């Protein structure tokens, strides 16, 4: 059996009792290590191993995409746990892993957990007032895609909030090293709310003014969230241009672009407004 | 401290390790008992009490809305747990409880968990391809609101999936009894996917044909999900008119109206297609 187990958002103890029981009985335990990181333990795999009383194998993008057979081999006759930060079905590649398991006649089971897609409710906005979620990529000097703006604007025109997931680069191959024929990895990078706000503001330049006029501008309210679910969670609400100057500290961050507010949403957001 | 603790979707063991540790140290434990039910224990509160080694007090809608002072009183100097099926911030009234706590200077903490808003990913659809979530109310003979159709159609026109949350009536006052000046409660009712599909089809009659022509019709694919996260979870994909004849069994149910499919989504959905 292949168990895909959500770890929740932050702490070791965010795993469910069911998930922990399964991990303890599995022969091998893999931790998916590229679509997200567990805030309080990501740099200290030993903490996880102590908590589970198990060896934990890191599964990076290359391994899950090209060497998934290793994970699946053990699941044919035994029990394998594949741990995913948040809920196991937030990222496409895990669907892919399930499909490959099914092709090989391997049974699977999902143990759900919180993900930022529902935990974002902690800022006071109602989940059913959110439109489509967007991902904002880390721009480089020559690569500045802004297609996320279309979705933000489409949501905003319908009065809906937008959850913006911010880019994470973990174990990305270094271009510089590749050009020298070597394999080396860039240090991990986590996009912050100030960078996201800055990219959104810069994106206005690429749009026709009539697309955003009266819908979104630099003073539109947004909500920055950092380390949701942890004891040092931080939530700040302010205008986009002000968010550029806010530092919410350590990762992970996400940003919400506000739609129309219900009075209860407004009351709760007032707690976080700068 | 007031702890709002998510219980997850189905089983006793869906609570997080963190959540369970907090429940065990709290002086009083309330279970929110009207926006959802914990599938495998809702009719057997003793199971919860045994698992927590604690007395569990049921908090119905009346209590949370009108007698919340009882819950808050204990939180001033002590620790109170308010348990919510799914994630604690899916329903408006819990924001309300937090706001009332803050007004009284009471600290609060949220322990997140899976909710159907993210666990719906188990059918293979990607969470970021969902638009606005809708609630479909149980119709009565004389009350047949169909405003959910506008949102489904707006999502569909943008190629987005729609998660339809289906109505639950728990401890609803009996109209018949009220007319006799008495207070009595109707038996609990849980809307099923076949009823939801039937109401959607009936709603076409109230719409101008040009609003839905080429967007949605009786043959459009939908996905029924029942008891998500449990061992007897059921997922069925078929046309809306066929869903009317499908019985997915015991609650809780939800329904997804499909938008455009990514190839990986289509591959995964094929597993559930009738």
């Amino acid at each position: 059996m292949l168990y895909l187990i959500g770890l929740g958002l932050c702490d070791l103890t965010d795993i469910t009792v069911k998930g922990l029981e399964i991990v303890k009985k599995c022969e091998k335990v893999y931790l998916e290590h590229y679509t997200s990181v567990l805030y309080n333990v990501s740099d200290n795999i030993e903490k996880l191993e102590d908590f589970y009383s198990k060896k934990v194998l890191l599964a990076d993008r290359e391994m899950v995409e090209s060497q998934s057979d290793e994970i699946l081999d053990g699941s044919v006759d035994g029990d394998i746990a594949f741990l995913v930060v948040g809920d196991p079905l937030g990222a496409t590649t895990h669907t892919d892993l399930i499909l490959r398991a099914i092709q090989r006649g391997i049974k699977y089971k999902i143990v759900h957990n919180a993900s930022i897609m529902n935990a974002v409710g902690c800022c006071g906005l109602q989940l059913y007032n959110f439109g489509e979620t967007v991902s904002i990529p880390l721009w480089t000097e020559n690569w500045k895609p802004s297609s996320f703006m279309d979705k933000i604007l489409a949501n905003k025109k319908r009065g809906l909030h937008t959850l913006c997931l911010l880019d994470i680069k973990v174990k990305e191959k270094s271009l510089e090293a590749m050009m020298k024929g070597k394999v080396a990895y860039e240090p991990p990078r986590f996009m912050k709310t100030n960078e996201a706000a800055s990219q959104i503001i810069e994106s206005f330049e690429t749009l026709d003014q009539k697309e955003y006029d009266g819908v979104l501008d630099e003073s539109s309210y947004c909500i920055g969230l950092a380390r949701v679910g942890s004891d040092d969670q931080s939530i700040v609400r302010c205008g986009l241009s002000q968010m550029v100057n806010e530092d919410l500290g350590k990762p992970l961050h996400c940003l919400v672009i506000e739609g129309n507010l219900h009075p209860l949403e407004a009351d709760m957001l007032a707690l976080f407004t700068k």
Side-chain angles (χ1 to χ4, degrees), chain A residues 73-91:
Chain A
D73 286 344
S75 315
V76 177
D77 298 313
D79 289 324
I80 300 292
F82 183 73
L83 309 181
V84 182
V85 173
D87 187 75
L89 287 174

Side-chain angles (χ1 to χ4, degrees), chain A residues 9-11 35-43 85 116 138 166-170 187-195 224-234 247-255:
Chain A
L9 298 163
C10 276
D11 298 308
T35 60
S36 193
V37 292
L38 200 62
Y39 164 56
N40 277 333
V41 287
S42 60
D43 51 354
V85 173
I116 191 62
L138 276 161
L166 309 188
D167 206 359
I168 292 174
K169 301 273 187 210
V170 178
R189 275 197 69 194
F190 305 95
M191 190 181 203
K192 298 175 82 166
T193 46
N194 52 347
E195 292 174 277
L225 299 98
R227 303 173 301 284
V228 168
S230 76
D231 282 339
D232 65 343
Q233 164 179 304
S234 173
D247 183 356
L248 271 65
K250 288 188 288 183
L252 297 172
H253 290 195
C254 68
L255 187 75

Side-chain angles (χ1 to χ4, degrees), chain A residues 10-201:
Chain A
C10 276
D11 298 308
L12 288 172
T13 52
D14 284 338
I15 193 171
T16 64
V17 173
K18 187 191 277 177
L20 184 59
E21 284 171 359
I22 293 170
V23 168
K24 284 183 179 289
K25 73 165 191 179
C26 279
E27 280 109 62
K28 274 192 176 176
V29 179
Y30 294 89
L31 172 66
E32 186 268 78
H33 189 60
Y34 59 97
T35 60
S36 193
V37 292
L38 200 62
Y39 164 56
N40 277 333
V41 287
S42 60
D43 51 354
N44 196 342
I45 198 82
E46 290 80 17
K47 281 192 208 165
L48 268 180
E49 295 185 328
D50 286 349
F51 188 65
Y52 300 150
S53 311
K54 287 269 172 187
K55 177 88 186 146
V56 174
L57 305 161
L58 282 185
D60 59 29
R61 185 186 295 267
E62 286 162 71
M63 181 181 178
V64 178
E65 290 181 0
S66 66
Q67 300 168 47
S68 63
D69 279 343
E70 182 192 319
I71 298 172
L72 296 178
D73 286 344
S75 315
V76 177
D77 298 313
D79 289 324
I80 300 292
F82 183 73
L83 309 181
V84 182
V85 173
D87 187 75
L89 287 174
T92 315
T93 36
H94 308 138
T95 313
D96 200 33
L97 187 65
I98 292 174
L99 285 167
R100 276 179 277 168
I102 290 167
Q103 277 164 7
R104 292 183 54 179
I106 296 165
K107 289 194 174 158
Y108 74 97
K109 192 164 169 172
I110 296 161
V111 181
H112 292 287
N113 208 321
S115 75
I116 191 62
M117 307 288 270
N118 64 333
V120 65
C122 66
C123 69
L125 294 176
Q126 296 298 318
L127 297 182
Y128 43 75
N129 293 336
F130 279 78
E132 190 177 0
T133 297
V134 307
S135 292
I136 301 188
L138 276 161
W139 282 356
T140 64
E141 205 174 327
N142 305 310
W143 186 75
K144 300 189 174 186
S146 58
S147 55
F148 54 84
M149 287 299 278
D150 300 339
K151 295 176 182 176
I152 291 173
L153 292 170
N155 285 337
K156 187 93 181 164
K157 282 173 189 165
R158 290 171 64 200
L160 300 174
H161 317 309
T162 308
L163 170 62
C164 306
L165 302 177
L166 309 188
D167 206 359
I168 292 174
K169 301 273 187 210
V170 178
K171 213 177 172 191
E172 293 280 315
K173 281 185 184 153
S174 157
L175 269 179
E176 201 182 342
M178 277 167 82
M179 285 190 293
K180 293 178 188 161
K182 296 177 187 169
V183 175
Y185 298 96
E186 300 285 354
R189 275 197 69 194
F190 305 95
M191 190 181 203
K192 298 175 82 166
T193 46
N194 52 347
E195 292 174 277
S198 168
Q199 288 190 191
I200 288 171
I201 289 172

Side-chain angles (χ1 to χ4, degrees), chain A residues 230-271:
Chain A
S230 76
D231 282 339
D232 65 343
Q233 164 179 304
S234 173
I235 305 176
V236 171
R237 175 179 182 257
C238 60
L240 271 169
S241 55
Q242 191 180 338
M243 188 62 78
V244 173
N245 300 313
E246 295 290 336
D247 183 356
L248 271 65
K250 288 188 288 183
L252 297 172
H253 290 195
C254 68
L255 187 75
V256 175
I257 309 298
E258 230 173 80
N260 299 338
L261 297 184
H262 179 277
L264 260 181
E265 292 181 314
D267 286 349
M268 187 90 174
L269 283 178
L271 303 172

